[in-house]
Amino acid sequence: MTSTQTAAKPETHVGAMPVLGLLGAILSVQVGAAFAKGLFPVLGSEGTTMLRLAIGALMLAVVLRPWKVLPSRRNLPWLAAYGITVCAMNMLFYGALQRIPLGICVALEFTGPLFVATLGSRRLLDLVWVALAIAGVLMLSPFADASRGLDPLGVALALAAGACWGLYIIFAQKAGAELGVRTSAYGMAIAAVLALPFGFSAAQPYLADPHIMAGAAVVGLFSSALPFYLEMLVLARMPAKVYGMLVCLEPAGGALTGLLFLHEKLNLLQCAGIAAVIAAAFGTAVAARRPVSSPA
């Protein structure tokens, strides 16, 4: 779940450093999610989300200094919608992550921006990608393998997070037209405030615990501040199509991170489902004119 609204530049040659930077951002997000899952037994998904958003908001405020560009009254509704979507998307994603493996969670969430990318398209090929994504979701559904069925609520939450990611793209473009990259700092701050009623009671007993707060700081760093900073550095040097294709590796990165850090093993059908979603996203990115913005 990387974080940017910056558009990649038109097609041109791209060197190794921007590619490595973006891959680093993708890996950073997945590592942050793995650390977040380690906090769930203590803080729950709501408390972890609240701390991640609050710490991420502080880090982005230090880096971006959003107060230097204040939003206009006309842009406030879009900015509010953006912040609400950021909060809902993260709450739903962490709620899903508490119940299902990381790779599957990322793949299911990835269907949201994929459908937004093909929305309104009349090309037959785009319908093929949508059908492939739906096939992948069906392979990841709780009913595809009765012996190792996934938690139905976790699957539903991941798909709902994907729907929020789709809305996020729309609201980010509207709010970002005026505020640029500072949109993320404002949106993260709004999301952090909105998450307080849901997660503060769970997090409050541990606010003075250095070990828990250090873990939350790692989550905020790897899930928000570091990937955002890396993407800001590389996107100005990267063609839109290359960006779109590389971001499609997120579900695979989630599956690999889940295996290495969380010892989450997937069966063959689940791996095929993730591969189908990646292939659908990759095909959509190759044909798309713009990269898909990623969530904060």
Side-chain angles (χ1 to χ4, degrees):
M1 290 165 60
T2 46
S3 35
T4 182
Q5 296 81 48
T6 308
K9 71 177 186 175
E11 294 294 333
T12 184
H13 174 72
V14 57
M17 290 308 296
V19 172
L20 292 175
L22 183 55
L23 291 176
I26 293 171
L27 179 61
S28 175
V29 171
Q30 306 311 325
V31 171
F35 273 100
K37 198 160 186 173
L39 294 175
F40 289 165
V42 178
L43 299 174
S45 61
E46 296 88 353
T48 304
T49 305
M50 188 274 292
L51 287 178
R52 178 246 162 133
L53 290 172
I55 293 172
L58 290 173
M59 290 180 175
L60 288 178
V62 170
V63 173
L64 297 177
R65 292 177 287 183
W67 54 85
K68 289 195 170 185
V69 179
L70 298 178
S72 67
R73 186 174 300 178
R74 183 180 60 182
N75 200 39
L76 285 176
W78 292 117
L79 189 59
Y82 172 75
I84 292 169
T85 306
V86 170
C87 179
M89 178 173 58
N90 283 278
M91 283 284 183
L92 291 166
F93 179 79
Y94 277 10
L97 188 58
Q98 192 172 23
R99 295 168 173 84
I100 61 177
L102 175 58
I104 294 176
C105 191
V106 174
L108 290 171
E109 188 197 29
F110 212 80
T111 58
L114 194 157
F115 287 130
V116 168
T118 58
L119 192 66
S121 174
R122 297 181 180 179
R123 295 183 301 181
L124 179 60
L125 186 58
D126 285 333
L127 297 179
V128 172
W129 302 131
V130 171
L132 185 59
I134 292 173
V137 170
L138 292 176
M139 284 186 275
L140 295 173
S141 73
F143 315 106
D145 186 349
S147 64
R148 296 184 63 182
L150 296 172
D151 185 326
L153 179 58
V155 171
L157 290 173
L159 290 172
C164 286
W165 190 351
L167 291 174
Y168 164 95
I169 294 169
I170 298 170
F171 295 143
Q173 290 173 343
K174 296 290 186 179
E178 178 180 283
L179 296 170
V181 295
R182 289 181 172 88
T183 307
S184 282
Y186 279 110
M188 191 74 74
I190 294 170
V193 172
L194 293 175
L196 280 173
F198 299 98
F200 184 77
S201 60
Q204 192 271 333
Y206 303 98
L207 293 179
D209 187 319
H211 298 290
I212 297 299
M213 294 308 296
V218 169
V219 173
L221 174 65
F222 280 94
S223 295
S224 299
L226 181 59
F228 180 82
Y229 178 74
L230 288 173
E231 287 194 350
M232 282 206 315
L233 290 179
V234 306
L235 279 179
R237 304 177 179 89
M238 179 170 288
K241 188 175 290 186
V242 176
Y243 173 86
M245 290 187 293
L246 288 176
V247 167
C248 297
L249 296 174
E250 284 203 31
L256 181 61
T257 303
L259 176 64
L260 295 178
F261 289 87
L262 303 172
H263 309 292
E264 295 175 340
K265 296 181 180 179
L266 306 179
N267 61 31
L268 188 60
L269 187 63
Q270 291 167 344
C271 290
I274 292 176
V277 172
I278 292 173
F282 188 86
T284 302
V286 168
R289 294 182 180 179
R290 297 182 180 180
V292 176
S293 295
S294 303

